[in-house]
Amino acid sequence: MGIQKRVRSDWIRIDRGYLDRIQERLPLIKEKPEFTIGTGEKVNPAIEELYEEIMIRYLPARFPTMFKARGKTVDNLATGTTYPLTTVGLTHAQMLAYMGENVEEDFYFMCPDSDGQYRLQGYIACFPGGFLSPARVGESVRDIHKPVPGYERKLGLSVDRYFGRMQPGDFIGRMNWSLQVDGADLFRTDGNNYYPGMDGAFSDEKEDPSLDECYLRVEHQTLTKLPRTGAVIFTVRSYMTSLYQVKAEGDGKALAEAIESMPEGLGHYKMRQYWGRKILPWLMEDA
């Protein structure tokens, strides 16, 4: 499955880009809630549980110089804002908004169904990498991954079983990547991966992208299970690195070789057939 065990202390990450990315998230939460916030009867108990876990217990303990509990609120000393140290009086949409305004990670709630399947039922998703969250609500893990070449054959049943066996307190993670060849904005409801029927949907920028607009997008993905509701939380932290920076740091050839070595189906899924003719030779050139 390409996953490794993780530790709880790495669940949420704070770095020097924190304030810039929080500023990118704020208008998305306020102006695009139909894309960024997902609540519902099936997921609301898990939203409340995650708020308690992240906002009340985790942040003040993990980052005590940044998140200071004071009475019934917590001060975010980096942003100058506060949030409630309780879920009482909050709507579930407000809980998700507070989470999205204080951490860079997106959270997807996979809730167990009566048939034993884990289905997407809610989310706070400011930085989707081509994932239209509202359209996926109610889908199982296998439904969501249908377009991924080889997923059903290699991983489908094993992932379902793993979700069922996960214990609260377990943390597992993996890295995922794509090339984003039309700008650095992190909010993407389409674009970085190929899905059936998309052939006529792309502009010439996909085949002849401006190198100034080309980025390596990497996602740090973490799975953990909540003890009370049993929901599996899929946490995604996204990073963007200009391909110029990748090349300047001496990693251009290694990236090109990794792209070229992908099986045909996976390369097609990651849109190598569009941007590869221009980007791969350029990456192989000396910096």
Side-chain angles (χ1 to χ4, degrees):
M1 293 169 61
I3 61 175
Q4 297 177 329
K5 288 185 177 181
R6 296 284 191 253
V7 294
R8 178 181 166 83
S9 59
D10 287 341
W11 191 8
I12 306 299
R13 302 182 176 198
I14 305 287
D15 61 28
R16 63 185 179 182
Y18 172 79
L19 288 176
D20 287 340
R21 287 188 289 266
I22 290 297
Q23 286 301 311
E24 189 174 346
R25 294 172 74 84
L26 295 179
L28 295 168
I29 293 169
K30 182 178 180 180
E31 299 167 12
K32 298 181 184 292
E34 69 275 21
F35 294 114
T36 57
I37 291 179
T39 66
E41 183 179 346
K42 293 180 179 179
V43 73
N44 286 345
I47 292 172
E48 184 171 348
E49 186 176 9
L50 187 65
Y51 186 94
E52 294 169 355
E53 188 66 32
I54 293 288
M55 307 298 286
I56 297 175
R57 287 190 284 272
Y58 186 94
L59 292 180
R62 177 68 178 84
F63 305 104
T65 61
M66 183 170 167
F67 295 95
K68 291 283 189 181
R70 181 172 53 85
K72 296 181 179 180
T73 62
V74 175
D75 294 335
N76 182 329
L77 301 182
T79 63
T81 59
T82 64
Y83 66 82
L85 197 57
T86 177
T87 60
V88 175
L90 297 179
T91 68
H92 295 93
Q94 287 173 325
M95 295 176 202
L96 291 176
Y98 277 125
M99 285 189 267
E101 292 165 359
N102 284 278
V103 301
E104 297 176 48
E105 283 78 2
D106 287 337
F107 301 104
Y108 297 88
F109 294 76
M110 306 299 297
C111 299
D113 214 340
S114 58
D115 60 1
Q117 294 281 324
Y118 283 78
R119 300 182 184 276
L120 178 67
Q121 300 293 358
Y123 50 85
I124 172 66
C126 296
F127 295 155
F131 188 88
L132 185 59
S133 306
R136 299 300 186 88
V137 169
E139 290 190 352
S140 68
V141 180
R142 296 167 79 175
D143 291 335
I144 291 170
H145 288 88
K146 275 182 181 178
V148 181
Y151 177 88
E152 180 64 24
R153 177 172 51 86
K154 297 178 181 178
L155 298 175
L157 284 174
S158 63
V159 171
D160 290 343
R161 294 192 192 105
Y162 190 86
F163 272 36
R165 292 197 306 266
M166 282 186 72
Q167 295 297 313
D170 290 347
F171 287 84
I172 60 170
R174 66 184 292 267
M175 305 297 286
N176 189 31
W177 68 271
S178 63
L179 287 196
Q180 192 162 298
V181 299
D182 53 358
D185 53 306
L186 285 160
F187 177 77
R188 294 295 178 103
T189 57
D190 59 16
N192 293 342
N193 294 319
Y194 178 86
Y195 296 94
M198 293 176 68
D199 287 298
F202 303 122
S203 66
D204 293 340
E205 291 177 350
K206 288 290 185 186
E207 296 195 51
D208 186 23
S210 167
L211 294 174
D212 292 331
E213 298 294 311
C214 292
Y215 291 82
L216 175 63
R217 180 174 184 140
V218 175
E219 294 179 350
H220 179 266
Q221 303 174 346
T222 305
L223 289 170
T224 193
K225 180 178 281 189
L226 298 178
R228 192 165 71 232
T229 60
V232 172
I233 305 301
F234 180 52
T235 306
V236 182
R237 167 68 179 272
S238 300
Y239 301 85
M240 297 289 280
T241 305
S242 163
L243 288 192
Y244 278 112
Q245 182 178 339
V246 172
K247 193 170 178 179
E249 293 175 353
D251 295 321
K253 291 182 180 180
L255 177 58
E257 290 168 357
I259 293 170
E260 288 181 324
S261 68
M262 287 189 298
E264 187 63 28
L266 185 59
H268 193 78
Y269 174 69
K270 290 188 179 290
M271 295 192 172
R272 182 178 60 190
Q273 70 275 24
Y274 291 100
W275 42 254
R277 286 187 291 273
K278 179 172 184 177
I279 290 177
L280 289 174
W282 176 77
L283 285 173
M284 290 300 292
E285 295 173 358
D286 292 331

